Amino acid sequence: MATSSHHVALAASGGSFLLLAGAWTFQAIGYAPCAMCIWQRYPQAIAIVVGVLVLLGLRHWGLYLLGAAATATTAAIGLFHTGVERDWWQGPTSCSGSGFDPSSLSGADLLSQKAHQTSSSVTKWSGHYSPCPWRAGTRF
């Protein structure tokens, strides 16, 4: 059975929805997202909107191209994010914590910190790194 373009678009959109729902779930249970986590959410939201438009009957090659570009963008950000987590390369200061000296903070200051640093052990759960590799891998 042949797979049509709109079935592929709907499957990709559904995957983006599940990944974004998972990200919001982790945020709700206390894992505050870093900047790159947030960056990945924008193209996922675009992919979801594309899927909804396809579901509503709008089927145009430009729409499929937009969905593919959104998917590739979130995958690229996810791969970059994974590299920062694994110390393969430097990430943004807001994520990698460069220049951040926790010894200058009081206990109350440390407890009031909202976002995690990508290169810290906070991003590891159950002995593994954060879901970044999963988000990136499911996009390819």
Side-chain angles (χ1 to χ4, degrees), residues 47-70:
I48 293 167
V49 169
V50 166
V52 168
L53 292 174
V54 168
L55 187 63
L56 293 174
L58 184 59
R59 297 192 173 114
H60 186 271
W61 66 269
L63 192 59
Y64 296 133
L65 187 60
L66 177 62

Side-chain angles (χ1 to χ4, degrees), residues 95-122:
C95 292
S96 62
S98 40
F100 177 70
D101 181 14
S103 65
S104 66
L105 299 174
S106 70
D109 291 335
L110 288 171
L111 291 174
S112 70
Q113 297 297 312
K114 297 293 183 198
H116 75 269
Q117 294 174 345
T118 299
S119 61
S120 73
S121 61
V122 175

Side-chain angles (χ1 to χ4, degrees), residues 13-85:
S13 177
S16 287
F17 175 78
L18 291 174
L19 290 168
L20 196 52
W24 285 332
T25 300
F26 274 97
Q27 186 174 346
I29 62 172
Y31 289 92
C34 72
M36 287 187 288
C37 294
I38 299 297
W39 297 347
Q40 280 185 273
R41 294 178 185 189
Y42 293 112
Q44 285 177 337
I46 292 170
I48 293 167
V49 169
V50 166
V52 168
L53 292 174
V54 168
L55 187 63
L56 293 174
L58 184 59
R59 297 192 173 114
H60 186 271
W61 66 269
L63 192 59
Y64 296 133
L65 187 60
L66 177 62
T71 298
T73 301
T74 195
I77 296 168
L79 289 174
F80 180 73
H81 198 172
T82 299
V84 172
E85 282 187 348

